[in-house]
Amino acid sequence: MSTSGGSLQHTTGKHPTLHGIRSRNGKWVAEIREPRKTSRIWLGTYPTPEMAAAAYDVAALSLKGRDAMLNFPDLVGSYRVPESPEPALIRSAAGDASELAKQFMERETHHRTHHVRGTYNNENNMNDDQFIDEEAIFDMPNLLVDMAEGMLVSPPRQIITTDDRSLGDSSECDNLWSY
């Protein structure tokens, strides 16, 4: 058996980076072993690995405390962790955490697609880089138009006095508007 992530996932169903989940029949299942026991708590079956991993995180927090190895440590404050480690309470909290993960993923997907105007395709012999609309990001719909109009503005009228020349700037070639 190979140790690469893809081979490991194919042979055992385990996710290459997320803890406490595995793939079964195209879906992701989560379960956790109870400390100092041989029994496991079934946490459920989920459509995405992230949902199953969030369910595992809540169970790990409930059973092992803050020292638990988590998949998403940044979301600890968002989880509802049961007060007692009863399997029914853990399963309920795991379901809530998976819904939270689903909402987070949907928000991230919406956020990414909202700020991306389009993608170049290979048929046009362009890169697969995504175009990000800076005007939409900075909420400046006329940013480029305003910048272009700024280039058409006449230079400010300068009144040169003898005091200005005495400050050491006597060369006319340093003037920005002299070009």
Side-chain angles (χ1 to χ4, degrees), residues 85-107:
E86 296 178 32
L89 294 175
I90 291 173
R91 271 191 288 279
S92 174
D96 292 346
S98 69
E99 284 301 313
L100 180 71
K102 180 181 177 183
Q103 291 171 3
F104 180 76
M105 290 181 336
E106 288 171 351
R107 225 179 341 204

Side-chain angles (χ1 to χ4, degrees), residues 1 9 11 14 22 30 49 56 70 79 88 91 93 112 117-118 122 130 138 140 175:
M1 177 165 94
Q9 181 182 355
T11 57
K14 290 184 179 180
R22 59 187 161 83
Y56 174 82
L70 302 176
Y79 295 139
R91 271 191 288 279
R112 264 186 269 122
R117 180 180 281 176
N122 287 331
Q130 294 180 339
F138 296 112
M140 298 178 170
N175 185 348

Side-chain angles (χ1 to χ4, degrees), residues 8-25:
L8 183 64
Q9 181 182 355
H10 179 69
T11 57
T12 65
K14 290 184 179 180
H15 193 277
T17 57
L18 299 175
H19 306 287
I21 68 169
R22 59 187 161 83
S23 176
R24 189 168 78 181
N25 298 328

